[in-house]
Amino acid sequence: MRKVRMDLGIDRIHMEGITGDGVVVAVLDSGISTHPDFGDRIIYFKDFINGRQSPYDDEGHGTHVTGIICGNGKLSRGMMKGIAPKTKIVALKVLNEKGMGKECDVIEGLHWIVDNGRDYGINVVNISFGTLGNDKEENKRLLDEVELLWDLGYVVVAAAGNNGPGPSSISTPGDCKKIITVGADNDNLKMIVNGKVTYHYSGRGPTKQCILKPDIVAPANGIFSCCNLWEKRYLYVAKSGTSMATPIVTGGACLMLEKNKNLSNAECKKIIKATADDMKMDRNRQGWGKINIMKALNT
């Protein structure tokens, strides 16, 4: 995370007092460990897989993603601090111990936000996974639920998926036209993604509905963040993929909403796209370019 923060000028933003304070992010993932980098900022946890009451993460993906968004770097003396280190967390476990999930559980998690999000002050929703499943009815239900969240005013950020480089390889719900869809800024290096050595993995548009996607790209390779096995002295771990790029953009949105609490989700998306750094790639590879959080905050 130190490298990401340096690349994006995040430490300068923190020095200006913008840290995501007063913002709440909902992370739908494999759960969350009680890593010290989250302090007392896990304000709610719900387990849609096993029905357990206390926070846990038996896969590690959710802990890593949340650390990118808002870990405070306590166990690393600030080295692994995330993008918005004072943002509060609602963790919804919709993926199992293998990082896999049923669409019905994801939909239930999304609908929980529809019903309860305002009570917990949720502003931003992070979805660092997706599906290329052929069940059109289930996919439509998933898209409908994500669109409903957006229509209710939530900033929804989802991964483009790791199924590139072919066209129309954006995963669902990243192919939703309304939300902010995030790809990897540099996927031409061989990396281990989801346990496999791969490259040119970032999902490409257009979507099956002929929508240009992704909207934005962000760093995605070898991102060090919080490990769910921290109690066994594995404090941080590196992971790669659009799952890691997505929380960088989510964290940026949290910073933007702290600075301007009246910013709508549509305005947030428009600013992120308008201030992106053009990487001179095909638009269905990079969208509007690489996120520039500093520019977005100063627009």
Side-chain angles (χ1 to χ4, degrees), residues 64-215:
H64 191 273
V65 164
T66 308
I68 294 171
I69 299 170
C70 57
N72 65 13
K74 181 177 181 179
L75 292 187
S76 61
R77 298 182 180 178
M79 288 276 289
M80 302 299 173
K81 185 165 58 174
I83 303 297
K86 288 191 178 180
T87 293
K88 291 179 177 167
I89 305 155
V90 170
L92 305 177
K93 181 174 173 60
V94 296
L95 305 181
N96 64 18
E97 74 282 359
K98 295 181 180 179
M100 308 293 287
K102 298 177 181 177
E103 286 182 330
C104 59
D105 292 328
V106 176
I107 290 166
E108 190 177 353
L110 291 166
H111 201 76
W112 183 91
I113 302 174
V114 172
D115 291 339
N116 303 281
R118 296 303 179 210
D119 294 339
Y120 290 91
I122 295 170
N123 310 96
V124 188
V125 178
N126 188 92
I127 307 171
S128 279
F129 57 86
T131 177
L132 286 179
N134 293 319
D135 190 328
K136 292 183 179 180
E137 183 177 341
E138 284 287 283
N139 281 5
K140 185 179 185 304
R141 287 180 60 211
L142 182 55
L143 283 173
D144 287 347
E145 207 68 39
V146 167
E147 283 205 13
L148 177 57
L149 277 181
W150 185 269
D151 291 342
L152 289 172
Y154 295 95
V155 177
V156 183
V157 189
N162 303 319
N163 299 294
S168 300
S169 54
I170 302 285
S171 58
T172 302
D175 56 352
C176 173
K177 65 180 180 180
K178 293 185 179 181
I179 69 173
I180 302 170
T181 305
V182 187
D185 70 340
N186 182 8
D187 69 350
N188 63 349
L189 304 174
K190 285 189 176 181
M191 303 298 297
I192 297 176
V193 178
N194 297 335
K196 298 179 182 179
V197 177
T198 185
Y199 60 99
H200 298 311
Y201 59 82
S202 189
R204 268 78 158 165
T207 69
K208 293 181 176 66
Q209 296 77 32
C210 294
I211 305 299
L212 195 156
K213 286 280 181 176
D215 299 293

Side-chain angles (χ1 to χ4, degrees), residues 16-49:
E16 293 174 7
I18 303 171
T19 56
D21 195 14
V23 180
V24 180
V25 62
V27 183
L28 291 94
D29 217 290
S30 62
I32 190 170
S33 73
T34 54
H35 196 290
D37 283 20
F38 303 135
D40 60 356
R41 290 178 291 116
I42 304 172
I43 62 173
Y44 188 79
F45 170 80
K46 188 169 179 64
D47 180 6
F48 293 90
I49 304 299

Side-chain angles (χ1 to χ4, degrees), residues 5 9-20 69 71 78 81-86 251 255 258 294 297:
R5 294 198 320 275
I10 301 301
D11 287 342
R12 288 164 55 198
I13 294 169
H14 292 170
M15 288 175 65
E16 293 174 7
I18 303 171
T19 56
I69 299 170
K81 185 165 58 174
I83 303 297
K86 288 191 178 180
L255 298 178
E258 180 194 2
M294 184 73 77
L297 284 168

